[in-house]
Amino acid sequence: MISQYLSPSVMVMLAGGVQIFGYLLINQTYLRLTMLCSTSLYILYYFHAADTPLWGAIAISAMTLVAILIGLAALYARNASWSIPEEHKDIYPLFDELIPGDFRKVMRIGTRETLKESRVVTQEGQSPEDLIFVTKGTFFVQKGKARFDVPGPTFVGEVAYLRGTPSAATTTLPAGTEVVVWSRATLARSTRTAPRLKLAFDAMISRDLAVKVSLAVSPDAEHHEA
């Protein structure tokens, strides 16, 4: 019906205009929707541009439409809450800055466990092998002669991970602490080939550091307030 009101020249101009507009969009969903519209217009054009339909161009454009639809479905699945693994849904609120698809990737390369015995996970002056997120529990940090408790949820070893430096403190997780553990070697390999995964970890760690900074109070300030 559209072809009754639009000439082939108008169709191809509209298709090209929509396509160019789509390339200016950053949002992946909107980009694919504009590509869907422009490809549909190109198909209409190929039907009416010549005395007989241009079947080769129509076939290629139809396959392009299918690819776009598959991409849209993948985007929807990545953002859909039902895609979160059932066994990790209880801790997803702790990672709410991540879309479900990124959370799924993060958990796929990590190990979630409840410690059956006390474990020293960082040693002052040594580079830790793992990046750890404490989902539940309180652990102990020793820095020099100072010793203090830190409640979860929070990261352990995130500064050493980001900067590639030794740990500034010794951290001990008591039995019963619930954690997610990522090998630094595995993270290095995974983030090297998946920039989105690196962004996901950086987002989590940045938020965690911001919370720690906002809650930090110097001993002098505590004494003054007391």
Side-chain angles (χ1 to χ4, degrees):
M1 179 176 292
I2 295 176
S3 60
Q4 297 176 357
Y5 303 99
L6 297 177
S7 66
S9 59
V10 173
M11 286 182 197
V12 75
M13 289 180 65
L14 281 175
V18 173
Q19 189 175 43
I20 291 170
F21 175 74
Y23 288 138
L24 298 175
L25 299 175
I26 297 176
N27 184 286
Q28 290 294 309
T29 300
Y30 294 153
L31 169 60
R32 282 169 170 78
L33 286 174
T34 56
M35 293 301 102
L36 193 67
C37 293
S38 67
T39 304
S40 299
L41 287 169
Y42 275 124
I43 290 176
L44 284 175
Y45 169 74
Y46 296 140
F47 264 113
H48 301 282
D51 293 336
T52 57
L54 304 176
W55 293 114
I58 290 171
I60 294 297
S61 296
M63 287 188 285
T64 302
L65 275 181
V66 172
I68 293 171
L69 289 172
I70 292 173
L72 281 170
L75 279 174
Y76 172 75
R78 193 181 72 186
N79 294 314
S81 58
W82 54 260
S83 68
I84 299 173
E86 194 66 34
E87 65 270 24
H88 300 315
K89 282 188 175 180
D90 59 321
I91 63 171
Y92 178 62
L94 301 178
F95 300 84
D96 58 2
E97 286 190 354
L98 303 181
I99 61 174
D102 288 340
F103 174 71
R104 192 168 62 248
K105 291 178 183 178
V106 162
M107 295 306 297
R108 189 182 301 134
I109 62 172
T111 302
R112 185 181 178 188
E113 61 179 309
T114 299
L115 301 185
K116 296 181 179 179
E117 57 185 21
S118 175
R119 183 186 302 176
V120 177
V121 292
T122 67
Q123 289 275 10
E124 186 173 358
Q126 298 181 16
S127 296
E129 296 181 356
D130 302 316
L131 174 66
I132 297 172
F133 186 79
V134 175
T135 59
K136 186 184 297 184
T138 298
F139 55 94
F140 318 107
V141 175
Q142 182 88 31
K143 186 171 184 179
K145 296 182 179 180
R147 176 185 170 94
F148 48 93
D149 299 342
V150 179
T154 188
F155 275 100
V156 177
E158 73 277 16
V159 175
Y161 166 74
L162 287 176
R163 300 181 61 187
T165 57
S167 295
T170 298
T171 305
T172 304
L173 307 182
T177 305
E178 295 182 13
V179 298
V180 181
V181 182
W182 296 276
S183 162
R184 290 180 64 180
T186 300
L187 278 179
R189 289 193 302 269
S190 300
T191 56
R192 193 180 302 120
T193 57
R196 283 190 60 86
L197 192 60
K198 184 179 188 311
L199 289 173
F201 270 101
D202 288 350
M204 290 190 299
I205 292 172
S206 295
R207 183 183 67 172
D208 185 71
L209 289 173
V211 171
K212 286 178 178 175
V213 170
S214 68
L215 295 177
V217 180
S218 70
D220 291 340
E222 288 182 342
H223 181 73
H224 179 74
E225 291 177 0

